[in-house]
Each structure stands twice: as C-alpha cells, then as structure tokens.
Amino acid sequence: MELRGVLLLTVLQLCSVARGGCEPRVVNIGAVLSQKRYEQVFKEAVTQANNLYGKDKFKMNAISVTHKPNAIQMALSVCEDLISNQVYAILVSHPPQSNDHLTPTPVSYTAGFYRIPVVGLTTRMSIYSDKSIHLSFLRTVPPYSHQAHVWFDLMREFRWNHIILIVSDDHEGRAAQKRLETLLEERETKFFTPVCRLTKNRNYENLDQQNFDFRRTPKAEKVLLFSPDTNLTSLLLEAKDLEARVIILSASEDEAAAVYRAARQLNMTGSGYVWLVGEREMTGKALSEAPDGLLGLQLINGKNESAHIADAVGVVAQSLQELFEKENITEPPRGCVGNTNIWRTGPLFKRVLMSSKYPDGLTGRIEFNDDGDRRFATYSILNYQQKPGRLIQVGVFNGSQVVMNPQRKIIWPGGETEKPVGYQMSTRLKIVTIHQEPFVYVKPTKTDGTCKEEYTVNGVLIKKVICTGPNGTIPGQPTVPQCCYGFCIDLLIKLAMSMNFTYEVHLVADGKFGTQERVNNSNKKEWNGMMGELLGGLADMIVAPLTINNERAQYIEFSKPFKYQGLTILVKKEIPRSTLDSFMQPFQSTLWLLVGLSVHVVAVMLYLLDRFSPFGRFKVNSEEEEEDALTLSSAMWFSWGVLLNSGIGEGAPRSFSARILGMVWAGFAMIIVASYTANLAAFLVLDRPEERITGINDPRLRNPSDKFIYATVKQSSVDIYFRRQVELSTMYRHMEKHNYESAAEAIQAVRDNKLHAFIWDSAVLEFEASQKCDLVTTGELFFRSGFGIGMRKDSPWKQNVSLAILSSHENGFMEDLDKTWVRYQECDSRSNAPATLTFENMAGVFMLVAGGIVAGIFLIFIEIAYKRHKDARRKQMQLAFAAVNVWRKNLQDRKSRAEPESKTSFRSITSTSDLKRRRASGDATPYPTDITGQLNLSDPSVSTVV
C-alpha cells in the first residue's frame, strides 16, 4: 500500500510539472493612451494578437493608463502602473492637444532608463528620432521632417529645380532642412531637355524661358531661417529677389499663418508662385490664411489612433515570438523604487522590433529605419482651393513615389490652371570674379568712392566697375568697394549690353577658383572658391579666367571658351654676370697659351733667320752701334705688333727667309683676330640666357628634389590636373608641399629665387613674362583647355552666353580684347632692340689697360735704378783708368829725375799726412772736379794725391 501511494504521488507530481511546462508565459504589455475609450481597443488588439502569435510560448496581457496632466504624474504612473507589472514594452500615443509634446517625453525617459522599448503611436515630432536622448523609442508614424521626401518627389514630378526653403529656426525646422538638403545632394534626376530654337538674328532681349535644362537634381537656391523675432517682411523680400518661385515652408501652425499674411502683402501668393507645405502648415489658423493653390501633405491614417494601436500590438507580438526563440531571456524590472538596474534583454528586444517587417498593417506596410522612425508612410497630396473652400486630394505618395490623379485638376496660385515654370529669370545678376591679371585688375577706389580714369596703351579709356571684396592691404581684410577692370570686365560689359541684363560684381571671399574639399575629414565634399559661391546661390555667373575641366563641368555649365590656352612653366631668366676676364671668353685658356707661345717662337725664329742670313742687316764693324739690325727685342716687338695690328716703328726683317715667315705670321694673326672678334660679339653682344628647363618632361621635373622646387596654386585646376594624372603622381607629391595660395604670390617667389619654376595657365604666365623682363616661359604647352564663363546647370542664360561669345569671336571683339590686355608686351621691344655693351662687359679690358699703366710705372723705376747703377760703375772705371795713367806718367818722370824724386816723395808723404789730419778733423772740402762731375786730374792736389 505504501509503495502504491508513492507511485501515485510521483505520477501526480510529473503531471503537475508537465502541466506547468505547457502553460505559456504571461507577457505584460503596457500602453499610455490619449483617451479612456482606446483602452478597450488596446485590449482587443492584444486578444487578437494572442490568437496569431506565441500560443504555446507566451500570452500577452494588456495594462493601460491614460495621459496625465503633467510630466511628473505621468512618470509616476509609468513606474507604479506599468513598470511595477514587469511590462516588456510600452505603447504611447500623442496627447489630445497637438501642441503638447511633453507627455510622451516622460514615458520615453522613464522606460528608456531601464531599456524597456517604447512604441510611439501618433507622435511625429523630430526630436524623438534623436537616440542620444530617447534611447528606446520607435514609432509607427514618420516624423514631420520625412515630408521632405514627398516634397523632393513633387519637385521631380513637376520639374522644379529652383526652390526657396523657408524654415523655422527650431529643431523641427532644422530637421526638415537637413533632410531635404541631404536628398538634394545625394540623388540625381534625369529630365527631358527640350530642343532650343535659335533665331538667325540672335536676339537676346527676348529670352525663351522654356529653353531650360532640367538635367540636374533640384537644388535650394536659398535657405531662409526665421524665429519669432524675425521681420517676416524683410525675409520674404529677400526671397522675392531670387529667381526661384517655388517656396517650401516648414513651420508651426501659428508661424505658417504669419508667413502667409506677410507673403500676401508682398504679392507673393499670386501667379507664378508655388507653395509646398506639410501637414502642420495647412491646419487650423494656417489653413485660414493659406494662399489659393497651395499644395500640402497629410499623412494617411496619421491620427487614426485605433489603427496604430492594432499595428503596434501586432509588431510587438511578432517581435516577441522571435525574441522567445533566443536563449537567456531575462525578466523585465519590477518597479522603479530602489531599482537602478537596466533590463539586460531590453536592447536585444529593441533591435528585434526595429528589424521587424509587418506588411499587412491597418495603416499599411510597417518597417523602421535606423532611428526607429517608420518607413514607407503614405501621404495624401492636397490642393487648397478657395472657391470650394476646402482641400482637394490631387495625388498620393505611396511610400516610394508620387502618383498624381489626372482626374483632379490642380488650381495654382493666382487661379492658374497651367503648371508654373517655378522660376522667374532675373535681369539683375550677381557676378563673382577673382583678382588675376591681366583678366581682372583690382585697385582701390578714390576717396569719393569712384574709380580713377586710366587709358590703355592705345589711348582708349579703360572701363572700370565697382566690385566689393576683401581688401588684403587692410588688417582683417574687410569687404570694401574696389575698382575692377581688365579683359573679363570688358567682356562682362559687352555681354550685359548685348543680352540686356544688369549686374553687381564681387570678388570671391576666399580668393580661390574652386575645388572640392572634404568637410570635417568626412567623405562629404563641398566646393570652395568661385565654384562654391555659384553652386551655393551667392552668385549667378562666374566671369573670370576659370579653366574648363571635367570635374567642374559635372556640377556647373560652361560657356564656349572665350580664351584658348594651356599650361606652361615660368622660370627666372639666367642673366650671366660679366667677369673681369669676360673679354677672354671667346678663346679657351689652352688657345690663349698657344697664341702667346706662338708669338715668342716666331720672334725667336725671325731673329735667328735675320741673324744668320747673308742678307741681314748686321754690320761687321763692332765699333758702330747696330741701330738698323734686327735684335731679339725688335723681333719680339715686330711679332706682337703684327698680332695686335699696331704700327711697327722699329726694324723689320730684311732677309727673304725672315720676311716669308713674317708674312705667314701676319696671315695667322689676321685669322686669330677675326675669329676672336666674331666670338667676342657672340659672347658679349648676342648673349642670351638659356632656358633652365625644356618642358613638362624635363628630368628635373620628373625626378623632383629639394634642389629644384616647382609648384602651382593650391586647389586650382592645375592642382586637380596633376592629382588626376597617375603618371604625374611623383610631381604632384612634390608640388603639394610647396603650392602657393595665389598665382601672384608664386610669381613673386620666382622673382625672389624662392621658387625655381611655376606651372600655371599660359595666358597669365606669358603676360607676366612680357611685363616682367626678368621672367621667361619655357617648354611647349600641355593640357590645352580654355577659359569659360561658369553658370549653374539650370541657368536660363547659358545658351545665350555661349552664342554671344561665339559672335564676339566672329566680329573680332575677342581679338581686340586680346591685343589690349594680353598681347601687350613691354619686354619684346627691349629684346628686339640691338644689344649694347656695358662697362660690365668690358671692365676686364679697362683693367688690362690699368694693369699696363701700373706695370709701366713699375718698370720705369727699375730702369732708373738700373741706369744709376750703370753710371756709377762707369765712373768707377773711368777713375781707375785715370789713376793708372797718372801713375805711369809719374813713374816715368821719377826715373828721369832722380834727385828731386826724394823731395817729391817727402812732400807727398807730408801731403798725405795733412790729408788724413783734415779728414779726422771733419774737413769735408771736396776734391776739384770738372763740369761733368769727373775728377779734375790737372789739379795739383789731385795729382799730388795720385
């Protein structure tokens, strides 16, 4: 019996366990509803979902509350009524008051803290897309900013490329602006381009506004932000001055009503205008002020809370079924008091919800994007018609494209039934240009604000216009009026006269032509310079030396080239410095040595031939001076005289053999002198500096080094060209480190020897080389292109500008501009004039003469010293000969007279003693001499001494 009881108890326990395992888990789903009556709808939706999903694994239980008067009460209700019951998700609708968006916020904050997913039902404010604030929020309706998708498709449908975006300066307005601008930048549209009909007389005064190019994606011509303090009249006046006539408005109900009133006062709600608005801008007060023909949007089932409750419950049930197929599903938190732990399964559940697809909802197909906002929402396109006094549905947006109802005719502003073209061609154009001589000169104005009168080289008054732009000479570079003139300004004046438009000119703010650059190191690129101002709506036309290339032509429209050119290289002329030995440059040093040696060899040979010839001039009488004889010095003088073509004043060779050698030497001298003279002219008179580089293929360019620096202008068409060419990548990497901000800076760097070569447009560099004679262009042109006038793709002027430029080429106007501004060359007249020698060229010759003078003075002192030395030696010899003769005579007399000889000797000894005594006492009486300074031997005292 005991065994039977144990078995029975075991069976009962197993059944209990089995029964417990088969019961589905209870899953509480919370809801915050706008009204009490929707609680029953919520319960019915949960019951219906339980019949479709999770029959064996879970069973949903509905727990709902209604909105509370304030945020604190709402947050407490969420904690006490919902989170305390461990809800897996919370559905929240928008409060009854359309302007009260705070009530969903405490629900999102409180549930988001614990990572419990919150599904919005009718909340459309864009702030809930910010996941840094609303962590666990997703919704079955799109935000208001997603209306930009419908606006964009409407612009495509009606082929409107000119638009003005007017948005309130708040979160909702900025979100709509960002969404629309993203669409405008990322998507491209292809439209039919009507064929332009051109008349033979090319009349530009009556432009056909239908000759319009629709190939580009629509773009906002201007974005106008306003706040409650903004003067709407001034704001709309700014919009009225633009070409666009399609106005997109994103604002609240009250703000939209104020804009409509201001627009009506400015006649901006009549014919030609188009107003595209969203749902808020055509409800309540806004609709009562709305202009006739307004096009607006309305989300289908946007306010059908019952349908959104059913769809939201279906999405949650479908996601729960997928969630419970995963492992480690934790229970939601129970209550808020003392509980700061997040629900670990909450983020996973949110990801499952956002990835779910619910195709058969009551409100249509339901999917979510990365921000948790609904995708593929459907809208009604409504046309406000004042005569019926109601909104007429004229089309729908089915989630992917606009589908217009052909049975419903749209009434446009002003009661028009034809679709407006969307723009009004303005005859007041904003022209942007850049300082680039000779195409655009920029000079300051006079004190009275006018431009100084100047004349061209042909005596024609220069046409100048006032252009505003940054003044680089003033600290801070403020924008001030300046005077612009040049090739492009004359062209602009011509176009304005022939095409009947007015203009205002300004200089580009950043001083750049235009290239694409990354924004904040992201993949997004934007144009800077003149290109950026044109695409951004700050200018209607670029009249400047803007190079036509593929990168720019993808974004703007170029006219026919008004100037054809290419790229060339600017270097500084190598002006040779004359040295003191420049007159010796015609011959090498070896040749000079051979000439000098030849002079002396010939001189020696002449001397020897004339010396040993029997017919020479030497005389045999040694006592006579050989005045007419050819001495070695005379031969040397003769040899130099013949070489230097100087007169020969001394003896010439007399013998026939020596004269033959002299004739040959004269012929040699003639050839040497003629060759020297010709080469001297080539070196000193016709000398021209050689080009430093041969062109783009020069080894110094292809193999860059720090010893030879070359560059171009940063972010220019030349910079783009080198960046795009793979074979020039080595050159580009070198240039990238040395590029300059402007062409003027680079040209000055070349002149200052800071830059060896500058690569730029040939038209500019050739002009600079013609004006600055120390510069020269080198090499052949490469990358041939042209300068064109830039316009936006949708510009109605583009066809006619090209025709006007072609006409100017035909009638010679462009040729005249070229002669006036580009081909005027000052340096050509200087270079074609006969070159003259300067002191620097012949300084060595003068130094040679000075050296000869110094050598002559030095030699004359040597001659004088030598002469004195020779005279002293001769005097000594004469004195010695005289003394010997006296001694001989006295010796003879001594022999003939023996007796008086002793007396004479005694007297002589006495006289010698007296002489020595006089010398010792300082008696310096000289001995008697004759008039020649020779010793007078006839004097008795002299004879006595001797």
Side-chain angles (χ1 to χ4, degrees), residues 10 72 123 141 151 231 249 258 338 364 371 391 438 545 596 630 700 760 788-790 839 851 928 934:
T10 302
I72 296 177
T123 301
V141 291
W151 294 335
N231 186 335
L249 176 63
D371 294 327
L391 295 169
L630 184 65
R700 282 171 288 184
W760 194 239
I789 293 177
F839 174 75
Q934 304 291 332

PDB file of all heavy atoms in Angstrom, residues 10 72 123 141 151 231 249 258 338 364 371 391 438 545 596 630 700 760 788-790 839 851 928 934:
ATOM      1  N   THR A  10       4.094  10.280  -7.199  1.00  0.00           N
ATOM      2  CA  THR A  10       5.078  10.587  -8.245  1.00  0.00           C
ATOM      3  C   THR A  10       4.386  10.949  -9.550  1.00  0.00           C
ATOM      4  O   THR A  10       4.751  11.895 -10.248  1.00  0.00           O
ATOM      5  CB  THR A  10       6.022   9.390  -8.439  1.00  0.00           C
ATOM      6  OG1 THR A  10       6.660   9.101  -7.197  1.00  0.00           O
ATOM      7  CG2 THR A  10       7.061   9.715  -9.493  1.00  0.00           C
ATOM      8  N   ILE A  72       5.356  64.938 -14.313  1.00  0.00           N
ATOM      9  CA  ILE A  72       5.713  64.204 -13.086  1.00  0.00           C
ATOM     10  C   ILE A  72       4.688  63.106 -12.813  1.00  0.00           C
ATOM     11  O   ILE A  72       5.045  61.960 -12.519  1.00  0.00           O
ATOM     12  CB  ILE A  72       5.816  65.177 -11.904  1.00  0.00           C
ATOM     13  CG1 ILE A  72       6.962  66.185 -12.149  1.00  0.00           C
ATOM     14  CG2 ILE A  72       6.047  64.416 -10.603  1.00  0.00           C
ATOM     15  CD1 ILE A  72       7.091  67.224 -11.055  1.00  0.00           C
ATOM     16  N   THR A 123       2.979  60.201 -32.376  1.00  0.00           N
ATOM     17  CA  THR A 123       3.949  61.263 -32.078  1.00  0.00           C
ATOM     18  C   THR A 123       4.848  61.475 -33.286  1.00  0.00           C
ATOM     19  O   THR A 123       5.557  60.560 -33.704  1.00  0.00           O
ATOM     20  CB  THR A 123       4.804  60.875 -30.854  1.00  0.00           C
ATOM     21  OG1 THR A 123       3.941  60.665 -29.744  1.00  0.00           O
ATOM     22  CG2 THR A 123       5.801  61.972 -30.542  1.00  0.00           C
ATOM     23  N   VAL A 141       4.673  56.012 -36.911  1.00  0.00           N
ATOM     24  CA  VAL A 141       4.433  57.155 -37.800  1.00  0.00           C
ATOM     25  C   VAL A 141       5.788  57.793 -38.110  1.00  0.00           C
ATOM     26  O   VAL A 141       6.720  57.712 -37.306  1.00  0.00           O
ATOM     27  CB  VAL A 141       3.485  58.188 -37.153  1.00  0.00           C
ATOM     28  CG1 VAL A 141       2.088  57.627 -37.029  1.00  0.00           C
ATOM     29  CG2 VAL A 141       4.019  58.656 -35.806  1.00  0.00           C
ATOM     30  N   TRP A 151       8.180  66.229 -50.766  1.00  0.00           N
ATOM     31  CA  TRP A 151       8.492  67.484 -51.441  1.00  0.00           C
ATOM     32  C   TRP A 151       9.490  67.252 -52.573  1.00  0.00           C
ATOM     33  O   TRP A 151       9.350  67.797 -53.669  1.00  0.00           O
ATOM     34  CB  TRP A 151       9.082  68.488 -50.443  1.00  0.00           C
ATOM     35  CG  TRP A 151       8.130  68.944 -49.393  1.00  0.00           C
ATOM     36  CD1 TRP A 151       6.776  68.966 -49.479  1.00  0.00           C
ATOM     37  CD2 TRP A 151       8.461  69.445 -48.103  1.00  0.00           C
ATOM     38  NE1 TRP A 151       6.234  69.449 -48.321  1.00  0.00           N
ATOM     39  CE2 TRP A 151       7.244  69.760 -47.446  1.00  0.00           C
ATOM     40  CE3 TRP A 151       9.637  69.661 -47.415  1.00  0.00           C
ATOM     41  CZ2 TRP A 151       7.197  70.269 -46.167  1.00  0.00           C
ATOM     42  CZ3 TRP A 151       9.599  70.175 -46.122  1.00  0.00           C
ATOM     43  CH2 TRP A 151       8.386  70.472 -45.509  1.00  0.00           C
ATOM     44  N   ASN A 231      11.769  89.679 -38.724  1.00  0.00           N
ATOM     45  CA  ASN A 231      10.891  90.512 -39.542  1.00  0.00           C
ATOM     46  C   ASN A 231      10.566  89.725 -40.811  1.00  0.00           C
ATOM     47  O   ASN A 231      11.394  89.602 -41.728  1.00  0.00           O
ATOM     48  CB  ASN A 231      11.591  91.828 -39.883  1.00  0.00           C
ATOM     49  CG  ASN A 231      10.664  92.802 -40.604  1.00  0.00           C
ATOM     50  OD1 ASN A 231       9.703  92.400 -41.249  1.00  0.00           O
ATOM     51  ND2 ASN A 231      10.965  94.086 -40.468  1.00  0.00           N
ATOM     52  N   LEU A 249       7.726  75.592 -47.244  1.00  0.00           N
ATOM     53  CA  LEU A 249       7.601  76.161 -45.902  1.00  0.00           C
ATOM     54  C   LEU A 249       7.505  75.045 -44.874  1.00  0.00           C
ATOM     55  O   LEU A 249       6.712  74.113 -45.022  1.00  0.00           O
ATOM     56  CB  LEU A 249       6.360  77.049 -45.825  1.00  0.00           C
ATOM     57  CG  LEU A 249       6.034  77.653 -44.459  1.00  0.00           C
ATOM     58  CD1 LEU A 249       7.150  78.597 -43.984  1.00  0.00           C
ATOM     59  CD2 LEU A 249       4.697  78.388 -44.493  1.00  0.00           C
ATOM     60  N   ALA A 258       1.400  83.460 -40.025  1.00  0.00           N
ATOM     61  CA  ALA A 258       2.067  84.761 -40.113  1.00  0.00           C
ATOM     62  C   ALA A 258       2.821  84.898 -41.435  1.00  0.00           C
ATOM     63  O   ALA A 258       2.838  85.972 -42.057  1.00  0.00           O
ATOM     64  CB  ALA A 258       3.021  84.932 -38.937  1.00  0.00           C
ATOM     65  N   GLY A 338      14.102  52.069  -5.760  1.00  0.00           N
ATOM     66  CA  GLY A 338      15.275  51.302  -5.360  1.00  0.00           C
ATOM     67  C   GLY A 338      15.843  50.426  -6.445  1.00  0.00           C
ATOM     68  O   GLY A 338      16.705  49.582  -6.161  1.00  0.00           O
ATOM     69  N   GLY A 364      -0.956  50.238 -43.297  1.00  0.00           N
ATOM     70  CA  GLY A 364      -0.060  49.953 -44.412  1.00  0.00           C
ATOM     71  C   GLY A 364       1.170  49.176 -43.978  1.00  0.00           C
ATOM     72  O   GLY A 364       1.234  48.593 -42.887  1.00  0.00           O
ATOM     73  N   ASP A 371      16.774  55.082 -37.090  1.00  0.00           N
ATOM     74  CA  ASP A 371      16.370  55.972 -35.993  1.00  0.00           C
ATOM     75  C   ASP A 371      15.082  55.511 -35.317  1.00  0.00           C
ATOM     76  O   ASP A 371      14.588  56.188 -34.404  1.00  0.00           O
ATOM     77  CB  ASP A 371      16.174  57.401 -36.519  1.00  0.00           C
ATOM     78  CG  ASP A 371      17.483  58.018 -36.998  1.00  0.00           C
ATOM     79  OD1 ASP A 371      18.531  57.689 -36.405  1.00  0.00           O
ATOM     80  OD2 ASP A 371      17.452  58.812 -37.956  1.00  0.00           O
ATOM     81  N   LEU A 391      -9.927  71.399 -49.048  1.00  0.00           N
ATOM     82  CA  LEU A 391      -8.744  70.722 -49.570  1.00  0.00           C
ATOM     83  C   LEU A 391      -9.165  69.593 -50.499  1.00  0.00           C
ATOM     84  O   LEU A 391      -9.997  68.766 -50.142  1.00  0.00           O
ATOM     85  CB  LEU A 391      -7.901  70.164 -48.416  1.00  0.00           C
ATOM     86  CG  LEU A 391      -7.288  71.210 -47.472  1.00  0.00           C
ATOM     87  CD1 LEU A 391      -6.713  70.537 -46.243  1.00  0.00           C
ATOM     88  CD2 LEU A 391      -6.206  72.013 -48.189  1.00  0.00           C
ATOM     89  N   PRO A 438      46.153  89.520 -66.465  1.00  0.00           N
ATOM     90  CA  PRO A 438      45.536  90.768 -66.931  1.00  0.00           C
ATOM     91  C   PRO A 438      44.022  90.665 -67.109  1.00  0.00           C
ATOM     92  O   PRO A 438      43.412  91.561 -67.677  1.00  0.00           O
ATOM     93  CB  PRO A 438      46.196  90.954 -68.293  1.00  0.00           C
ATOM     94  CG  PRO A 438      46.334  89.548 -68.805  1.00  0.00           C
ATOM     95  CD  PRO A 438      46.650  88.711 -67.591  1.00  0.00           C
ATOM     96  N   PRO A 545      38.956  84.091 -65.389  1.00  0.00           N
ATOM     97  CA  PRO A 545      39.729  83.081 -66.137  1.00  0.00           C
ATOM     98  C   PRO A 545      39.606  81.707 -65.484  1.00  0.00           C
ATOM     99  O   PRO A 545      40.563  81.175 -64.915  1.00  0.00           O
ATOM    100  CB  PRO A 545      41.165  83.627 -66.068  1.00  0.00           C
ATOM    101  CG  PRO A 545      41.206  84.454 -64.845  1.00  0.00           C
ATOM    102  CD  PRO A 545      39.845  85.081 -64.734  1.00  0.00           C
ATOM    103  N   GLY A 596     100.097  82.865 -77.176  1.00  0.00           N
ATOM    104  CA  GLY A 596     101.238  83.533 -76.537  1.00  0.00           C
ATOM    105  C   GLY A 596     102.551  82.840 -76.830  1.00  0.00           C
ATOM    106  O   GLY A 596     103.586  83.495 -77.065  1.00  0.00           O
ATOM    107  N   LEU A 630     118.208  93.745 -86.727  1.00  0.00           N
ATOM    108  CA  LEU A 630     117.026  93.133 -86.099  1.00  0.00           C
ATOM    109  C   LEU A 630     117.483  92.376 -84.860  1.00  0.00           C
ATOM    110  O   LEU A 630     117.951  91.229 -84.946  1.00  0.00           O
ATOM    111  CB  LEU A 630     116.321  92.191 -87.061  1.00  0.00           C
ATOM    112  CG  LEU A 630     115.020  91.579 -86.541  1.00  0.00           C
ATOM    113  CD1 LEU A 630     113.971  92.660 -86.343  1.00  0.00           C
ATOM    114  CD2 LEU A 630     114.496  90.508 -87.503  1.00  0.00           C
ATOM    115  N   ARG A 700      64.424  67.255 -64.354  1.00  0.00           N
ATOM    116  CA  ARG A 700      64.351  67.896 -63.044  1.00  0.00           C
ATOM    117  C   ARG A 700      62.920  68.008 -62.534  1.00  0.00           C
ATOM    118  O   ARG A 700      62.702  68.145 -61.333  1.00  0.00           O
ATOM    119  CB  ARG A 700      65.002  69.274 -63.110  1.00  0.00           C
ATOM    120  CG  ARG A 700      66.507  69.232 -63.071  1.00  0.00           C
ATOM    121  CD  ARG A 700      67.102  70.587 -63.359  1.00  0.00           C
ATOM    122  NE  ARG A 700      66.940  70.946 -64.765  1.00  0.00           N
ATOM    123  CZ  ARG A 700      67.443  72.057 -65.309  1.00  0.00           C
ATOM    124  NH1 ARG A 700      68.118  72.899 -64.563  1.00  0.00           N
ATOM    125  NH2 ARG A 700      67.266  72.312 -66.581  1.00  0.00           N
ATOM    126  N   TRP A 760      51.476  77.135 -64.521  1.00  0.00           N
ATOM    127  CA  TRP A 760      50.182  77.821 -64.466  1.00  0.00           C
ATOM    128  C   TRP A 760      49.671  78.042 -65.886  1.00  0.00           C
ATOM    129  O   TRP A 760      50.284  77.614 -66.858  1.00  0.00           O
ATOM    130  CB  TRP A 760      50.356  79.145 -63.708  1.00  0.00           C
ATOM    131  CG  TRP A 760      49.072  79.809 -63.289  1.00  0.00           C
ATOM    132  CD1 TRP A 760      48.640  81.037 -63.638  1.00  0.00           C
ATOM    133  CD2 TRP A 760      48.058  79.266 -62.435  1.00  0.00           C
ATOM    134  NE1 TRP A 760      47.428  81.314 -63.056  1.00  0.00           N
ATOM    135  CE2 TRP A 760      47.040  80.238 -62.309  1.00  0.00           C
ATOM    136  CE3 TRP A 760      47.908  78.058 -61.772  1.00  0.00           C
ATOM    137  CZ2 TRP A 760      45.896  80.044 -61.568  1.00  0.00           C
ATOM    138  CZ3 TRP A 760      46.753  77.861 -61.017  1.00  0.00           C
ATOM    139  CH2 TRP A 760      45.774  78.837 -60.912  1.00  0.00           C
ATOM    140  N   GLY A 788      36.280  79.693 -69.625  1.00  0.00           N
ATOM    141  CA  GLY A 788      34.868  79.852 -69.932  1.00  0.00           C
ATOM    142  C   GLY A 788      34.124  80.548 -68.814  1.00  0.00           C
ATOM    143  O   GLY A 788      34.609  80.634 -67.679  1.00  0.00           O
ATOM    144  N   ILE A 789      32.945  81.035 -69.128  1.00  0.00           N
ATOM    145  CA  ILE A 789      32.070  81.649 -68.121  1.00  0.00           C
ATOM    146  C   ILE A 789      31.242  80.548 -67.479  1.00  0.00           C
ATOM    147  O   ILE A 789      30.645  79.728 -68.167  1.00  0.00           O
ATOM    148  CB  ILE A 789      31.171  82.707 -68.778  1.00  0.00           C
ATOM    149  CG1 ILE A 789      32.040  83.877 -69.262  1.00  0.00           C
ATOM    150  CG2 ILE A 789      30.108  83.199 -67.809  1.00  0.00           C
ATOM    151  CD1 ILE A 789      31.270  84.945 -69.979  1.00  0.00           C
ATOM    152  N   GLY A 790      31.248  80.512 -66.146  1.00  0.00           N
ATOM    153  CA  GLY A 790      30.554  79.466 -65.422  1.00  0.00           C
ATOM    154  C   GLY A 790      29.159  79.884 -64.994  1.00  0.00           C
ATOM    155  O   GLY A 790      28.943  81.009 -64.530  1.00  0.00           O
ATOM    156  N   PHE A 839      79.725  98.671 -69.359  1.00  0.00           N
ATOM    157  CA  PHE A 839      81.020  98.661 -68.675  1.00  0.00           C
ATOM    158  C   PHE A 839      81.315  97.293 -68.072  1.00  0.00           C
ATOM    159  O   PHE A 839      82.475  96.860 -68.024  1.00  0.00           O
ATOM    160  CB  PHE A 839      81.030  99.742 -67.586  1.00  0.00           C
ATOM    161  CG  PHE A 839      82.265  99.707 -66.729  1.00  0.00           C
ATOM    162  CD1 PHE A 839      83.481 100.170 -67.222  1.00  0.00           C
ATOM    163  CD2 PHE A 839      82.226  99.181 -65.445  1.00  0.00           C
ATOM    164  CE1 PHE A 839      84.633 100.124 -66.430  1.00  0.00           C
ATOM    165  CE2 PHE A 839      83.363  99.122 -64.659  1.00  0.00           C
ATOM    166  CZ  PHE A 839      84.561  99.609 -65.154  1.00  0.00           C
ATOM    167  N   GLY A 851      96.330  97.755 -65.686  1.00  0.00           N
ATOM    168  CA  GLY A 851      97.468  96.913 -65.331  1.00  0.00           C
ATOM    169  C   GLY A 851      98.706  97.269 -66.124  1.00  0.00           C
ATOM    170  O   GLY A 851      99.833  97.240 -65.613  1.00  0.00           O
ATOM    171  N   PRO A 928     138.739 118.920 -56.369  1.00  0.00           N
ATOM    172  CA  PRO A 928     138.260 119.659 -57.533  1.00  0.00           C
ATOM    173  C   PRO A 928     137.768 118.699 -58.623  1.00  0.00           C
ATOM    174  O   PRO A 928     138.390 117.669 -58.875  1.00  0.00           O
ATOM    175  CB  PRO A 928     139.480 120.465 -57.998  1.00  0.00           C
ATOM    176  CG  PRO A 928     140.580 120.162 -57.067  1.00  0.00           C
ATOM    177  CD  PRO A 928     140.151 119.162 -56.083  1.00  0.00           C
ATOM    178  N   GLN A 934     133.451 114.863 -63.312  1.00  0.00           N
ATOM    179  CA  GLN A 934     134.578 113.951 -63.277  1.00  0.00           C
ATOM    180  C   GLN A 934     135.715 114.577 -62.464  1.00  0.00           C
ATOM    181  O   GLN A 934     135.811 115.791 -62.293  1.00  0.00           O
ATOM    182  CB  GLN A 934     135.072 113.640 -64.705  1.00  0.00           C
ATOM    183  CG  GLN A 934     133.973 113.087 -65.613  1.00  0.00           C
ATOM    184  CD  GLN A 934     133.553 111.699 -65.181  1.00  0.00           C
ATOM    185  OE1 GLN A 934     134.359 110.960 -64.603  1.00  0.00           O
ATOM    186  NE2 GLN A 934     132.301 111.376 -65.451  1.00  0.00           N
TER     187      GLN A 934
END
